[in-house]
Amino acid sequence: MASNQNLLARINELFGEKITTVEVVFDETTVVTTPQFLLEVARGLRDTPDLRFEQLIDLCGVDYSTYAEEDPDRTATPEKRFCVVYHLLSTAHNHRLRMKLFIDGEMPVVSSVVDIWNSANWYEREAFDLFGIIFEGHPDLRRLLTDYGFIGHPFRKDFPLLGHVEVRYDPDKGRVVYEPVSIEPRVLVPRVVREEGFGDRNP
């Protein structure tokens, strides 16, 4: 824990108001910045000799649109809907750091960090595909897990669970096409398993 506190003190000293929140929770070090200062903070974390977070090991998106409903006892509900989370590693100093920033809007936009950490390339494509987060400056921002013609972003909380279209390959058009679902949608209800009488059964 002392190491984490020293790390946060150094980050506070280096970035000041460019970091809005710094905390250690369950021995996990987290800092929160803003889209405005993302690239400056990211380069500083990578290039400062006593920090040297030279590796981005993960990047993901989060949709907080139902955050207050799912956990109403929490008081620190984010004001922004979407969050981008960066997990950083310093192999030189054996430090880990989580960096977060919150963004809003139906088409949220944040700067790409591919020029800082090349490993962000496919992570940013995944977050774009699943959450619709636009990474400005990305060299090849296109869908990664869904089809090129896919409509919507599946990890958004308002994405329909049952779906309204089905996918098939059309040999005449030479591509995948989307059509209205041809079967009547239904909700699968879990089967109730009764315990009565099970004790009398022979194995």
Side-chain angles (χ1 to χ4, degrees), residues 23-191:
E23 60 183 355
V24 178
V25 179
F26 299 120
D27 206 31
E28 293 282 342
T29 307
T30 301
V31 300
V32 180
T33 185
T34 63
Q36 177 186 1
F37 298 116
L38 169 62
L39 296 182
E40 183 178 349
V41 170
R43 287 194 180 93
L45 290 172
R46 184 195 65 181
D47 297 338
T48 302
D50 54 344
L51 296 179
R52 289 187 61 186
F53 287 99
E54 66 271 73
Q55 187 174 354
L56 173 73
I57 58 177
D58 191 24
L59 180 157
C60 65
V62 182
D63 181 355
Y64 279 105
S65 59
T66 60
Y67 187 69
E69 301 169 17
E70 295 170 356
D71 199 350
D73 294 332
R74 286 186 178 269
T75 56
T77 303
E79 298 177 356
K80 305 292 186 180
R81 174 177 177 178
F82 295 100
C83 178
V84 182
V85 185
Y86 306 80
H87 293 274
L88 307 176
L89 172 66
S90 169
T91 56
H93 301 296
N94 193 27
H95 283 158
R96 293 179 184 269
L97 180 73
R98 179 191 297 113
M99 179 173 66
K100 301 168 65 174
L101 59 87
F102 293 93
I103 46 181
D104 204 355
E106 185 62 24
M107 294 296 290
V109 179
V110 66
S111 298
S112 171
V113 295
V114 170
D115 289 341
I116 301 172
W117 297 292
N118 189 255
S119 60
N121 194 319
W122 280 25
Y123 293 141
E124 290 182 349
R125 285 181 59 189
E126 180 184 45
F128 162 69
D129 191 359
L130 301 180
F131 292 95
I133 299 171
I134 305 296
F135 292 90
E136 203 168 45
H138 190 285
D140 186 23
L141 192 62
R142 54 194 167 95
R143 291 188 181 270
L144 180 66
L145 301 176
T146 61
D147 182 70
Y148 296 129
F150 191 86
I151 299 172
H153 304 284
F155 277 17
R156 288 191 176 192
K157 296 291 179 69
D158 53 6
F159 189 80
L161 296 179
L162 295 179
H164 303 295
V165 296
E166 59 187 15
V167 183
R168 70 174 179 85
Y169 178 77
D170 189 323
D172 296 330
K173 295 182 179 179
R175 61 179 176 84
V176 170
V177 296
Y178 290 82
E179 298 174 337
V181 175
S182 59
I183 60 174
E184 182 179 350
R186 62 190 178 95
V187 177
L188 298 178
V189 179
R191 182 177 60 183

Side-chain angles (χ1 to χ4, degrees), residues 5 7-9 11-12 16 19-24 29-32:
Q5 295 296 346
L7 175 62
L8 291 185
I11 290 174
N12 266 325
I19 296 291
T20 60
T21 306
V22 291
E23 60 183 355
V24 178
T29 307
T30 301
V31 300
V32 180

